[in-house]
């Protein structure tokens, strides 16, 4: 899968995804400090799944009508699990859902993942 990793997420997450064969671009490398609307547009235009822990992306698609390929929202409390275990858990959950992610707003939390269909893309 092709991901755009928001700057709020650790590079280690992108590296683990790359280690498992995924294509990752980091917002911090391509458009640091870009507003959320721009990050979402870049993900869509580049055909990438946006991955973030920023809760604003839900509002941007469901309330404001923006569109996306898919969004993966990672909601782990800081220090809830050891850092490496958190990264591994997130990547394991993404890979378990791989074929179901496109067109979805995916929320990943410790021990569970929830999917909600995104509004149609235009």
């Amino acid at each position: 899968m092709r991901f755009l990793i928001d700057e709020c997420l650790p590079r280690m997450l992108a590296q683990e995804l790359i280690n498992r064969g995924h294509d990752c671009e980091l917002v911090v490398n391509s458009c640091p400090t870009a507003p959320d609307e721009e990050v979402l547009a870049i993900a869509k235009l580049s055909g990438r799944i946006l991955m973030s822990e920023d809760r604003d992306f839900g509002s941007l698609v469901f309330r404001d009508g923006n569109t996306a390929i898919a969004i993966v929202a990672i909601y782990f409390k800081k220090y809830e699990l050891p850092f490496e275990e958190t990264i591994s858990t997130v990547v394991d959950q993404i890979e378990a859902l791989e074929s179901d992610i496109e067109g979805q707003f995916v929320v990943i939390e410790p021990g569970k993942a929830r999917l909600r269909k995104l509004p149609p893309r235009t």
Side-chain angles (χ1 to χ4, degrees):
M1 287 188 285
R2 294 170 35 92
F3 293 100
L4 178 62
I5 310 293
D6 200 3
E7 60 192 335
C8 57
L9 292 173
R11 288 179 186 262
M12 187 178 188
L13 174 60
Q15 189 57 56
E16 182 62 22
L17 286 163
I18 291 166
N19 291 347
R20 296 198 197 183
H22 300 284
D23 178 346
C24 295
E25 181 178 319
L26 299 165
V27 168
V28 73
N29 292 342
S30 60
C31 54
T33 71
D36 291 343
E37 295 85 354
E38 185 178 333
V39 171
L40 190 59
I42 290 167
K44 181 181 172 186
L45 290 172
S46 62
R48 293 181 178 275
I49 297 165
L50 177 61
M51 187 178 295
S52 182
E53 66 178 6
D54 186 341
R55 295 176 184 258
D56 293 338
F57 289 106
S59 296
L60 287 173
V61 293
F62 293 111
R63 183 193 66 209
D64 298 345
N66 291 287
T67 61
I69 304 295
I71 298 173
V72 175
I74 300 169
Y75 298 157
F76 276 69
K77 294 178 183 159
K78 302 290 185 205
Y79 312 110
E80 187 168 10
L81 298 171
F83 188 69
E84 292 79 10
E85 188 177 336
T86 299
I87 298 295
S88 180
T89 298
V90 167
V91 176
D92 288 347
Q93 288 180 319
I94 288 167
E95 290 187 335
L97 296 168
E98 187 166 352
S99 63
D100 298 322
I101 289 178
E102 189 168 330
Q104 301 288 330
F105 187 90
V106 180
V107 175
I108 296 178
E109 298 176 291
K112 64 182 175 182
R114 295 177 282 128
L115 286 80
R116 180 176 176 192
K117 189 112 178 106
L118 288 171
R121 288 184 277 164
T122 54

